[in-house]
Amino acid sequence: MSNQPDPAGEATSDASAPSETQLPSPDILEIETVYEALGHSRRRYLCYTLFEDTEWSLTDLATKIAAWENDIPEQAVTEDQREEVYVSLYHAHVPKLVDEGVITFDEATETITTADHAEQVLAALEGIGASLDSKQETHARSDMDEQEQ
Amino acid sequence: MSKSSDERKIAEDDPTNGVETHQTQVTQRHCEPNGQRELTTAIIYAIAEVEGVSPSELKSPPLYESVDVPAIEDAFFGPDVAGDSRQGVGTVEFQYTDYLVKVQSDGWIRVYEPTEADLS
């Protein structure tokens, strides 16, 4: 008799049949949007402003972000400081967030408004904000508190 | 701001015109890596200077439609490696409207404009 293995006698492995139910659900992949949206400090600042209001003019937004970044009151923001932020919002960060479905941008009025993915991104921002972005968080929070008073 | 009229010849790939296009440098500007000003802003300021408009008037199209500049910024000037800034040398170039923009890893931005070679 040969020593050939008998196929029928082979131990059947429990892991032999990959379960299709273990594939991640498509929803999980949307986390990409969150990372992309929050992957730059100016975009995080922008997203913080969405807690306060769901609609912003680009100029107001630029003023607010310039004030936060320079740690000065909004009234003290110079035209140069505002323009610098405005240009980077217009040419990079706003279109990126539009792409990710976080905001919409009306070119005629230069107004941004929250879109479908805003909720998801803001929830993530709220979660990570306290530990990773404490300075921004403090800025954004204290600003909101002032508004409430 | 130093300017130079450094002319470079770039062979035109487009087979429909066999004419070589000259690219003439029209401005250059330095963006301090990890400085206060973003690379996007520095590029737009440079192009606005060439066009003779204020940077906030330069609108169409958004630079984002050509390239994701903050991603380039991150690649060149991103987080330090083992406490030192990156030592690599490289250049990224892209087209924005009529301009060819080159960004070097040392922070130099150069803007070129095409000029027909055989107008003479």
Side-chain angles (χ1 to χ4, degrees):
Chain A
M1 285 294 283
S2 73
N3 268 343
Q4 273 178 5
D6 174 9
E10 253 178 82
T12 50
S13 163
D14 288 341
S16 61
S19 164
E20 287 189 18
T21 59
Q22 284 174 5
L23 290 171
S25 88
D27 288 353
I28 290 175
L29 300 178
E30 285 182 17
I31 195 89
E32 189 71 19
T33 295
V34 173
Y35 284 119
E36 285 290 330
L38 300 179
H40 192 282
S41 65
R42 265 189 193 159
R43 291 201 291 273
R44 288 194 292 279
Y45 273 131
L46 194 160
C47 288
Y48 273 119
T49 68
L50 300 176
F51 282 117
E52 193 179 310
D53 209 331
T54 55
E55 193 179 302
W56 286 89
S57 84
L58 201 55
T59 309
D60 287 351
L61 204 55
T63 308
K64 196 169 192 70
I65 293 174
W68 278 344
E69 286 184 354
N70 293 289
D71 208 4
I72 52 174
E74 280 175 47
Q75 311 86 276
V77 172
T78 67
E79 190 49 48
D80 283 353
Q81 288 170 328
R82 176 178 22 249
E83 188 172 61
E84 240 174 68
V85 177
Y86 173 95
V87 164
S88 88
L89 291 179
Y90 186 91
H91 285 277
H93 302 305
V94 164
K96 175 90 173 180
L97 289 173
V98 168
D99 231 17
E100 299 293 343
V102 181
I103 57 173
T104 57
F105 181 59
D106 184 323
E107 281 184 36
T109 59
E110 298 208 338
T111 307
I112 68 147
T113 318
T114 48
D116 290 352
H117 288 155
E119 198 180 338
Q120 187 183 15
V121 169
L122 293 188
L125 188 59
E126 204 156 38
I128 61 177
S131 54
L132 293 179
D133 247 345
S134 57
K135 198 172 165 215
Q136 288 188 355
E137 176 88 353
T138 311
H139 274 149
R141 294 285 167 206
S142 64
D143 218 74
M144 276 187 247
D145 292 345
E146 276 167 31
Q147 296 246 336
E148 279 162 20
Q149 280 157 20
Chain B
M1 175 100 9
S2 58
K3 284 189 188 187
S4 85
S5 56
D6 171 27
E7 275 208 6
R8 304 191 181 195
K9 243 189 214 176
I10 292 173
E12 184 69 67
D13 288 337
D14 185 0
T16 55
N17 81 41
V19 185
E20 276 194 349
T21 307
H22 278 99
Q23 299 282 352
T24 308
Q25 183 178 313
V26 283
T27 191
Q28 62 180 1
R29 184 175 277 260
H30 190 252
C31 178
E32 198 57 49
N34 303 314
Q36 178 84 11
R37 182 170 289 176
E38 275 189 39
L39 183 58
T40 303
T41 307
I43 292 171
I44 292 297
Y45 278 33
I47 295 170
E49 181 195 43
V50 174
E51 302 232 311
V53 297
S54 109
S56 54
E57 287 174 67
L58 191 68
K59 295 240 156 111
S60 192
L63 196 49
Y64 185 77
E65 289 179 16
S66 296
V67 67
D68 185 347
V69 176
I72 295 178
E73 192 168 27
D74 200 37
F76 279 162
F77 317 139
D80 292 351
V81 182
D84 290 319
S85 53
R86 287 200 167 81
Q87 302 297 311
V89 177
T91 308
V92 168
E93 57 181 76
F94 57 90
Q95 196 76 30
Y96 175 72
T97 61
D98 287 339
Y99 303 102
L100 175 68
V101 180
K102 296 188 182 183
V103 179
Q104 216 166 291
S105 53
D106 60 6
W108 277 101
I109 299 158
R110 294 188 173 82
V111 180
Y112 300 83
E113 214 171 35
T115 44
E116 285 296 330
D118 61 346
L119 284 181
S120 51

